[in-house]
Amino acid sequence: MPDNPSKLLDLARIKDYQARYRADIHDDVYFGFPVSGILDAENILLSGGKNTIGYFSMEYGLATNVYNVFSSVLPLTTDNKLSDNEIISNDRIADYLFSLKIDSALDLPIYSGGLGVLAGDTVKTSADKKIPMAAVGILWNKGYFKQRFWFKFGQLPEEMKWDPATFPGLIPLEDKIKLELKDKDIYLRLWKYYVFNRERNFAIPLILLDSNVEENDEVTRRLTDRLYKSDDSDGRLLQRLILGMGGMKALEVLGYKINLYHLNEGHAAFAFVQKARQMDAKEYEAAKLQFCYTCHTPVPAGHDRFAISDLERIMKPQDVEAVKNFGLEGRDRDVVNLTLLAMNTSSSINAVSKKHGEVMKLQFPAYKKRIKAITNGVHSPTWMSEPILKALDPYREALGDFRQDPTLLKNVLKLKDDPDFRKAVWQAHQENKKSLSRFLSRWRIREDVLTICWARRIAAYKRPSLIFQDIERLKGMANRIGPIQILYAGKAHPNDSLAFTYINDIMNSIDKANGSEGNLKILMLENYDIYIAKMLVSSVDVWLNNPLPPYEASGTSGMKAIANGVLQLSTLDGWVAEAADKRIGKFFGYKDDGKTFTDGMVLRLEEDSKALYASLEEMMLFYYGINKDDGLNIRSPWIDMMVECIAEAAYFNTHRMVAEYMQDVWKF
Ligand SMILES: *Cc1c(COP(=O)(O)O)cnc(C)c1O
């Protein structure tokens, strides 16, 4: 190909290269990044080096707009920029006059929340460690959804629009694969996106499957429209077949020689069924050794079930047989459970925190001996703010190269009593807080006021409105001790009617705080995403996390916060239970005794909100004691806790997590 200067093009047949991608991919450049790292990684995958991994996930939150950002010669289209968002606050006039302007590229919109961010952080860290991995996911043509606030009444989900064809770093391949079903075939286009390591000399290809091609009928084309679209069962099943079976085919068509398949959640459990096509039942045991499975939630809605009759209607008979061998549930054996399918076809099963490991053993006693626990983490280079990193940089001699290896952050404890260090950490945080107050200047967010944030998916077990159980008490505390700013953000799954009512609750609570914004200011931000997350986790004073134990398998947002020296106000669940003896904030509320597990939740809003207020009151007293005689009290225990937070981030990161996967799951 005379007009193809890049070696990359010998590898990947890019659709529309001449017309669209020639200017961004040329010589040795790929959207502003070096091609050599891509070639190295591709060569190992193609030649079947040792320890090659196929990583499967329904969603990926890659933070493409805040870390390792690709450039393109094409100007960003409006569709690929973040839009302005509304805010609902108890400062009504500001809400009415302004919207929140965000001048940034869109993040690759193929995630809904923590599971996707975990997958993204795992792939990035694997790239940092130069692990030969190919990641598999779905190109969600319409993302998750766009959250619109419907003044005071809740959330109105809107269709999200973005343009894959002009998204920097994303390339469509000529390759298409065919997913063979009982009565028809589904054609899938393959897209590629490269996830670079921190040093930009290695990259992991992310393969995204897309059913929106002309060979398919209208309904089939829309299968890869919206992530977690759950209003029809056939659609849900087909999406999982695309990810699992389609994903396996994609790896094969691309020529990748994969030794191990890692299923991030049960969504991809059909991958084994595709593998089983090439063998007879006698060989199944050997095939299982190539699969490992990570379970991410004890909540029933997170475990996919389908009627066998539906599978029989849609899948080829031999594929249904393979599923029946491993995935049936219950006495009637008429339901397939993807969690069981994944567990029965893997050589490794793991939960995502120690607490979740215990819960999972109660849920699946038959698998007790096989269930491991590897606590989640976050990719530190993505989530640590520049001011905090810069504050730590001058202390490299004591700390070591923490940018390269975040487990060295533990060494901040050596500097705990160094007044200059304490001041540097405090000032870095104040700088972050200034950025926040500029970001929210229209709502007059102040940098000298205690600021609390609750932001994540809105789901019942996360108890989003816990802090609003008694607004009068909150007002009283703010009047008595010192002002409070509370920031809220989160999307509720459009089919989760209970979650919808929580948004409603929050808005009503904000209404009740109307007029008190001098001391108690509450803001609810529209369209929570990674961009807003990165801002919030580094710039508030207190990260609030109040799931009902034991339903939060891990949680990761608090890990992003501690890496920035932000204190926790949390129930003891998920990862936080592992830090129960650490001075990283305050823990409160119901404790699960770990003896039994039931699906039916009792939310305990009344008692736990009281415990929350008591702990918050203590934190407020602490916070407003930082400044003594109008100057910073550098010995304040608050700053002790900030330093302890950063020290704990040495453990709660994906650098440590991926090392554990290498040793205990992938067995490198
Ligand atoms: C980290 C993150 C989450 C996960 O939050 P949890 O508190 O762990 O549930 C969800 N959404 C976004 C955008 C995130 O960045």
Side-chain angles (χ1 to χ4, degrees), residues 55 57 59-61 113-125 264 294 296 352 375-379 383 530 554-556 559-560 654 657-658 661:
Y55 184 86
S57 181
E59 49 172 311
Y60 290 87
L115 178 68
V117 175
L118 190 273
D121 283 4
T122 303
V123 172
K124 281 189 223 175
T125 301
N264 188 48
T294 301
H296 281 269
V352 290
T375 305
N376 279 165
V378 295
H379 183 246
W383 294 104
I530 289 180
S554 165
T556 51
M559 301 179 188
K560 303 164 190 167
T654 40
M657 182 196 84
V658 169
Y661 275 101

Side-chain angles (χ1 to χ4, degrees), residues 178-345:
K178 205 165 69 174
L179 173 63
E180 294 148 329
L181 301 176
K182 188 175 179 190
D183 296 325
K184 68 171 177 187
D185 295 332
I186 291 182
Y187 289 84
L188 299 165
R189 149 110 42 236
L190 305 184
W191 297 70
K192 254 189 194 183
Y193 186 88
Y194 285 100
V195 180
F196 270 82
N197 65 343
R198 200 177 66 90
E199 290 170 326
R200 303 187 174 193
N201 59 12
F202 193 79
I204 288 177
L206 167 60
I207 319 303
L208 297 172
L209 304 145
D210 175 12
S211 70
N212 187 18
V213 291
E214 61 269 18
E215 291 91 333
N216 292 330
D217 61 49
E218 260 317 298
V219 176
T220 306
R221 289 183 75 151
R222 286 202 301 270
L223 283 173
T224 56
D225 264 7
R226 220 188 75 203
L227 174 60
Y228 302 134
K229 183 173 181 309
S230 61
D231 24 22
D232 83 296
S233 175
D234 282 4
R236 279 176 53 236
L237 175 59
L238 287 164
Q239 288 177 341
R240 280 143 186 82
L241 291 169
I242 288 174
L243 179 66
M245 299 186 75
M248 289 294 274
K249 265 207 131 155
L251 292 171
E252 195 182 303
V253 164
L254 292 172
Y256 292 156
K257 300 196 174 65
I258 301 293
N259 307 128
L260 201 59
Y261 304 95
H262 189 133
L263 312 183
N264 188 48
E265 261 308 347
H267 303 132
F270 291 117
F272 185 86
V273 176
Q274 181 70 31
K275 189 87 187 164
R277 274 192 182 176
Q278 303 157 354
M279 56 184 75
D280 55 66
K282 288 196 295 280
E283 297 168 297
Y284 284 171
E285 285 309 311
K288 285 185 199 174
L289 295 174
Q290 287 189 285
F291 283 81
C292 41
Y293 160 64
T294 301
C295 178
H296 281 269
T297 182
V299 176
H303 298 260
D304 289 319
R305 289 176 169 83
F306 298 99
I308 274 289
S309 54
D310 288 344
L311 267 66
E312 282 166 339
R313 199 162 32 76
I314 289 173
M315 297 167 71
K316 282 188 179 296
Q318 85 249 36
D319 293 337
V320 180
E321 282 315 304
V323 175
K324 282 182 174 169
N325 270 327
F326 298 109
L328 293 184
E329 177 182 69
R331 218 174 310 137
D332 298 337
R333 304 183 73 73
D334 56 355
V335 170
V336 53
N337 178 330
L338 293 196
T339 304
L340 296 183
L341 180 61
M343 291 200 292
N344 292 336
T345 56

Side-chain angles (χ1 to χ4, degrees), residues 111 113-114 117 383 456 462 528-530 533 555-557 560:
Y111 68 94
V117 175
W383 294 104
R456 52 185 57 77
K462 291 176 184 277
Y528 187 51
D529 65 2
I530 289 180
T556 51
S557 62
K560 303 164 190 167

Side-chain angles (χ1 to χ4, degrees), residues 129 354 373-375 651 653-667:
K129 291 180 187 278
K354 298 201 168 70
I374 296 183
T375 305
Y651 182 78
N653 59 68
T654 40
H655 194 86
R656 182 270 315 154
M657 182 196 84
V658 169
E660 284 189 45
Y661 275 101
M662 288 167 78
Q663 190 181 318
D664 299 338
V665 174
W666 303 336
K667 313 259 189 207

